[in-house]
Amino acid sequence: IGAATGAFGGDIWGAIFGGGGSAQPPHHRDGEHDVVIGTAQPRNPPPLAPAPIDNPGPTTPMPDDPTTPTPNPGPPTPDPTPGQPQNTAPCAQAWSGLSVGYCGALHEGLAAAQQMLSKGGCGTFYGGRGSSVLSATRYRFLDLHNQNTGAGTQSIDSVFINSKGPYMTYDPVPGHVGPFGRFWVRPGFRAFILLHELGHQLAPITGFKPDANDRDLNEAQSRLVLSRCF
């Protein structure tokens, strides 16, 4: 469900919400070069006083003493997902740190999808591999610059979720018909998006074809997920 940048995936939201087409994820710059600015030195610095011959014993260096050892900061912290708030933390099945909101949204959809896969018909549709592949998938939230794009499958174990798309922005209203003429709850709707992408991840089993630029095909493949899992 979404424009895939690889040979997988598609964009059902062109069919549901209008628009469509593929969206390329923005280039991510891993870091910037640090600029080191030196301190000017006097032209004729005064001579240093000779060190005393006798040993006066150890002294405690002052906090601003340049000879004070600097603690090893350790390895750098990985960059958070581009476009995310900086208050990130490790999140299971995410490529990098996520904010609490994004991590919660991811796990809400995953839990509901796993529940669907426990049903015989749904599990069989994915050849009995759906649950294990879903658990092994790493997800990354990116602004794909198209509000109609839900997600995009990159490979069998990598999926991009549009941080500005329906996975995050669609809020079902109780008693109101939503996409595909259904009454949705948010966990089920998010599970639906993930299960559509799982269809692309397991295309040799499900028969899914790339549908980013084919409105009729991505709607038909979405309805196939609905008929087997919902």
Side-chain angles (χ1 to χ4, degrees), residues 83-135:
Q84 301 258 335
Q86 294 299 307
N87 56 333
T88 59
C91 179
Q93 291 194 241
W95 275 114
S96 59
L98 290 177
S99 68
V100 173
Y102 282 111
C103 189
L106 173 60
H107 288 166
E108 181 180 73
L110 286 171
Q114 288 286 11
Q115 185 175 11
M116 299 293 183
L117 288 167
S118 68
K119 301 177 181 178
C122 187
T124 301
F125 176 63
Y126 295 98
R129 296 185 57 197
S131 180
S132 61
V133 172
L134 192 74
S135 296

Side-chain angles (χ1 to χ4, degrees), residues 73-187:
T77 302
D79 290 338
T81 298
Q84 301 258 335
Q86 294 299 307
N87 56 333
T88 59
C91 179
Q93 291 194 241
W95 275 114
S96 59
L98 290 177
S99 68
V100 173
Y102 282 111
C103 189
L106 173 60
H107 288 166
E108 181 180 73
L110 286 171
Q114 288 286 11
Q115 185 175 11
M116 299 293 183
L117 288 167
S118 68
K119 301 177 181 178
C122 187
T124 301
F125 176 63
Y126 295 98
R129 296 185 57 197
S131 180
S132 61
V133 172
L134 192 74
S135 296
T137 301
R138 294 295 176 264
Y139 296 89
R140 187 172 185 181
F141 284 83
L142 291 173
D143 181 359
L144 299 181
H145 302 287
N146 185 338
Q147 64 181 359
N148 298 318
T149 299
T153 297
Q154 308 304 303
S155 68
I156 192 172
D157 61 357
S158 177
V159 170
F160 288 172
I161 298 175
N162 188 4
S163 61
K164 304 293 185 182
Y167 190 94
M168 293 301 299
T169 61
Y170 179 63
D171 190 13
V173 178
H176 288 251
V177 176
F180 296 99
R182 289 180 171 261
F183 295 94
W184 293 97
V185 293
R186 192 176 63 180

Side-chain angles (χ1 to χ4, degrees), residues 42-66:
R43 292 187 177 181
N44 297 307
L48 296 175
I53 297 175
D54 57 335
N55 183 2
T59 59
T60 302
M62 297 298 292
D64 59 347
D65 187 341

Side-chain angles (χ1 to χ4, degrees), residues 204-220:
I205 296 174
T206 63
F208 268 37
K209 295 177 174 60
D211 55 11
N213 299 309
D214 191 328
R215 177 172 179 165
D216 292 335
L217 178 61
N218 61 40
E219 181 174 345

